[in-house]
Amino acid sequence: MSRLSVVIPAYNEELMVGKTCRVLREVLTGAGIDYELVLVNDGSRDNTWEEIVKAGKKDRNILGVHFSRNFGKEAAVFAGLAQAGGDVVAVMDCDLQHPPQTLIEMYHLWEEGYEVIEGVKKSRGKESAIHKKSADFFYGIMTKATKVDMRNASDFKMMDRKAVNSILSMPERNMFFRATSSWVGYKTTHVFFEVQEREAGESKWSTWSLVKYAFTNIVAFTTVPLQFVTIVGLVCFLCSLVLIVYSLIQYFTGAAVAGYTTTLIVLLLIGSGIMVSLGIIGYYIAKIYEEVKRRPRYIVSKVIRGSEDVYDQANHD
C-alpha cells in the first residue's frame, strides 16, 4: 500500500502541534490512507519540541525532527523532505490554515497519475491592502522567472517521490521551495482551497521579515534584480544625456547655466543609482559566498519515531 508523508514545519507552535497531529490522524485514517507525519521543530523558543514528543507517544506514525537552532522555514521544509519516507509527500503549515481535508483530494489526484499537485488559494484571506500589493509584486516577479503562475501559490502541495528526489538532488543551499517545486516540472495539476483562520498562536511573519524573505528568495531563484541594475544604469545615462543637451543649449544661446543646482542633481542621481546597484550586486556576491562555503542548510540534533529516539546528536560527537 502506498504511503503518504506529510511534512509540517513548526516554529513556536506549541499551541497547535497536538491538535494538528490529532486532526490529520483522524482525516487520513478515516480516508484509509497509510501515513506518516514529519514534524520539523525549527529551533522554537517555546515548548514545541516537547509537544512533538508528547504527540509521538500517542502516534507511532509521527517522526519528529529537532534542529540545533532556528534555520528558517525553507530549511525546515527541505529537512522534512529529506526525512520523509513515503511514496508521495505533502507539505503543509502547522497552524491548520491549510485544510487537512484537501490532502485527500490531492492524494486521489496522485493516484490518477499526477506527480505534483499544487495547492492554490482561492483568496489571500484577511490581509492588509499593502500586504496584498506587495505579495502580488513579489509573485509577479517569480511568475516571470519560473514561467509558472504563482500569484496564489502556496507551500501547500503534494509531490510524487521522484519529484521530491529531483528537488533534493539540487546542490544549491539557497532555495525557494515554492518556486523550485514548480520548476522541476513533471505532470502537474492543482486544487483550490480556502485559507482557514488560525485557531491559536499568532503569525510568525512581520512585515519586515516578509520583505527579507521575499528578497532572499528572489535572489536565490532569479537574476531579475541584476537586470534592474542595468535598467537603473540606462535611466541614469538617459537623464545625463538630457541634462548635457540642456546645458549645451543654454551655453550656445548665451543663457547662464544654474551650475550648482544642475551639478547637485546629477551627482545625487548618479550616486543613488550606483549605490543601489552596488547593494544588489553585493547581495548576490554574499549569496555566492554562502554557496561556495558549502555549509549545510540545517543541523539536526535529534530525530524521534513515535516515542523512540532514532538519532541524537549528543551520541554522534
Side-chain angles (χ1 to χ4, degrees):
M1 183 179 180
S2 298
R3 193 173 210 203
L4 166 65
S5 295
V6 184
V7 174
I8 309 170
Y11 177 65
N12 294 344
E13 293 287 1
E14 63 176 349
L15 299 177
M16 288 301 299
V17 167
K19 180 170 184 178
T20 298
C21 292
R22 183 175 67 255
V23 170
L24 285 171
R25 181 173 66 247
E26 292 172 355
V27 169
L28 297 175
T29 301
I33 298 174
D34 185 27
Y35 71 93
E36 72 169 349
L37 306 181
V38 184
L39 288 102
V40 184
N41 177 39
D42 184 22
S44 299
R45 293 171 294 182
D46 60 4
N47 294 318
T48 296
W49 178 246
E50 288 73 14
E51 290 298 321
I52 292 175
V53 172
K54 189 185 299 183
K57 292 178 180 179
K58 299 177 183 178
D59 188 350
R60 171 70 184 171
N61 293 320
I62 289 178
L63 180 70
V65 181
H66 184 45
F67 279 178
S68 61
R69 65 169 177 83
N70 177 250
F71 284 93
K73 184 179 180 181
E74 297 295 309
V77 169
F78 284 101
L81 294 179
Q83 294 287 341
D87 304 289
V88 58
V89 182
V91 177
M92 66 179 294
D93 290 344
C94 188
D95 53 18
L96 291 180
Q97 288 190 297
H98 296 156
Q101 293 79 6
T102 306
L103 289 173
I104 299 174
E105 182 182 355
M106 290 177 164
Y107 186 81
H108 290 324
L109 287 169
W110 173 73
E111 289 181 317
E112 293 175 12
Y114 290 101
E115 295 160 319
V116 176
I117 301 94
E118 301 275 359
V120 179
K121 301 174 185 176
K122 288 184 179 178
S123 66
R124 300 200 60 87
K126 296 181 179 179
E127 295 178 347
S128 66
I130 295 177
H131 186 90
K132 288 182 179 180
K133 290 294 183 183
S134 300
D136 289 341
F137 175 73
F138 168 62
Y139 288 118
I141 293 176
M142 297 308 299
T143 295
K144 292 179 181 178
T146 61
K147 303 299 187 292
V148 177
D149 188 356
M150 297 188 64
R151 284 172 294 182
N152 288 311
S154 70
D155 289 328
F156 188 32
K157 59 192 65 192
M158 188 176 290
M159 298 171 291
D160 184 82
R161 168 53 56 183
K162 58 185 176 184
V164 172
N165 289 341
S166 295
I167 293 173
L168 293 175
S169 68
M170 297 180 185
E172 62 260 40
R173 293 297 181 263
N174 295 292
M175 295 180 69
F176 181 30
F177 170 69
R178 199 172 299 184
T180 303
S181 59
S182 299
W183 180 87
V184 294
Y186 294 104
K187 187 178 180 181
T188 303
T189 188
H190 62 267
V191 297
F192 290 99
F193 71 94
E194 289 283 1
V195 178
Q196 307 298 304
E197 291 299 317
R198 172 182 278 273
E199 296 186 23
E202 57 185 20
S203 175
K204 311 304 180 296
W205 296 96
S206 65
T207 301
W208 176 239
S209 64
L210 284 171
V211 170
K212 291 194 296 183
Y213 179 73
F215 192 73
T216 297
N217 289 320
I218 288 172
V219 170
F221 201 82
T222 177
T223 58
V224 168
L226 287 177
Q227 297 168 23
F228 173 75
V229 171
T230 304
I231 293 171
V232 170
L234 288 173
V235 170
C236 289
F237 175 70
L238 291 173
C239 290
S240 299
L241 283 180
V242 171
L243 286 172
I244 289 171
V245 171
Y246 171 76
S247 298
L248 288 174
I249 292 173
Q250 293 288 86
Y251 175 78
F252 287 115
T253 57
V257 178
Y260 178 77
T261 303
T262 304
T263 303
L264 184 62
I265 291 173
V266 171
L267 288 175
L268 289 175
L269 183 64
I270 296 177
S272 299
I274 290 173
M275 294 303 292
V276 170
S277 301
L278 286 176
I280 294 173
I281 294 171
Y283 197 82
Y284 271 92
I285 292 174
K287 291 303 175 184
I288 294 171
Y289 176 63
E290 291 178 7
E291 290 287 340
V292 298
K293 285 193 296 186
R294 306 300 295 168
R295 287 183 180 175
R297 294 189 187 112
Y298 52 84
I299 298 173
V300 175
S301 64
K302 183 175 288 189
V303 178
I304 62 166
R305 166 73 69 181
S307 58
E308 300 176 3
D309 286 342
V310 178
Y311 173 85
D312 191 331
Q313 181 65 46
N315 298 324
H316 291 76
D317 292 337

